[in-house]
Amino acid sequence: NLKEGYSLLGISYILAISGMHIIFLYKIISWFLFKIFRYYKSTIPISILAIYVILIGFPPACIRALLFLVLTKLNEKGEKQYTKIDLLAISFMLMVSIRPFYIYNTGFILSFLVSFVILFINSIIKNMSFLKKNYISFLMIYLSTIPIVTAFQN
C-alpha cells in the first residue's frame, strides 16, 4: 500500500531523480563505519557508492548525486569555497563534457532540475515549519517537473 501511495503521488519518482538515495546511503555507510571502526573520513563511503553506481548501470541521477557529493567533500577541504549552485553547475559541465548526449536524457534533465529547485527554494523556506517546508518543497518540485515529464511522454 505504501509503495502504491508513493507511486500515485509521484514521490518515489522525485526521490529517484533527485539522487536522495545516494546521500542517504552515504550517511548510513558513514554512520556504520564510524560506529564500528571509528572511521570518520569520506573515502571509503564514497568508494562504496562509486561501486554501487557502477553496479546499477550509471544512471545520470546517481552520477550527478555522487559527483555533487564528491565536489561537496572537496569543497569542504579547499581554500576557495563554492556555493551549492556552483557545485551543481560544475557537476553539470563535467557530465556534459564527458557524455554530451546526456542533455537528451530525461533522467539527466529532471535530476538537475529537481536539484536546482531544491537548492533554490531552501533559502526561501528556511524559516518555515517542518510540515510547511515539506509541502512547499514537494509542490515546487512537482510543478517544475510537470512540463518536462509531459513533454517526454510517449
Side-chain angles (χ1 to χ4, degrees):
N1 277 347
L2 185 62
K3 187 176 178 182
E4 255 180 52
Y6 282 159
S7 294
L8 287 174
L9 292 173
I11 294 172
S12 59
Y13 190 64
I14 288 173
L15 292 176
I17 62 173
S18 70
M20 184 181 274
H21 61 291
I22 297 292
I23 304 303
F24 182 70
L25 286 172
Y26 173 78
K27 297 233 181 231
I28 288 174
I29 294 167
S30 296
W31 178 83
F32 179 76
L33 288 172
F34 180 74
K35 288 293 182 184
I36 302 297
F37 302 109
R38 296 287 183 227
Y39 182 85
Y40 61 91
K41 295 181 182 177
S42 57
T43 310
I44 291 177
I46 288 176
S47 301
I48 292 170
L49 287 174
I51 293 168
Y52 169 73
V53 169
I54 291 168
L55 290 175
I56 62 173
F58 295 106
C62 293
I63 295 171
R64 191 229 16 103
L66 182 62
L67 189 55
F68 188 78
L69 177 66
V70 169
L71 290 173
T72 302
K73 293 300 174 186
L74 289 174
N75 192 40
E76 291 171 358
K77 295 178 181 179
E79 289 178 17
K80 184 168 170 67
Q81 296 298 305
Y82 295 100
T83 66
K84 293 203 181 272
I85 298 284
D86 291 338
L87 297 177
L88 187 66
I90 292 168
S91 61
F92 177 86
M93 290 184 286
L94 285 171
M95 287 181 71
V96 170
S97 66
I98 293 170
R99 290 191 116 178
F101 291 108
Y102 265 154
I103 60 172
Y104 300 111
N105 184 299
T106 310
F108 175 82
I109 295 167
L110 287 171
S111 176
F112 276 97
L113 177 62
V114 167
S115 298
F116 177 77
V117 169
I118 289 170
L119 292 175
F120 180 73
I121 64 174
N122 273 343
S123 61
I124 297 170
I125 64 172
K126 65 181 170 188
N127 295 325
M128 295 181 183
S129 69
F130 177 76
L131 188 60
K132 202 171 186 180
K133 278 182 187 179
N134 286 336
Y135 177 75
I136 290 175
S137 296
F138 178 74
L139 182 66
M140 293 298 293
I141 291 167
Y142 188 74
L143 291 175
S144 66
T145 57
I146 284 176
I148 305 296
V149 171
T150 55
F152 283 102
Q153 281 184 340
N154 293 336

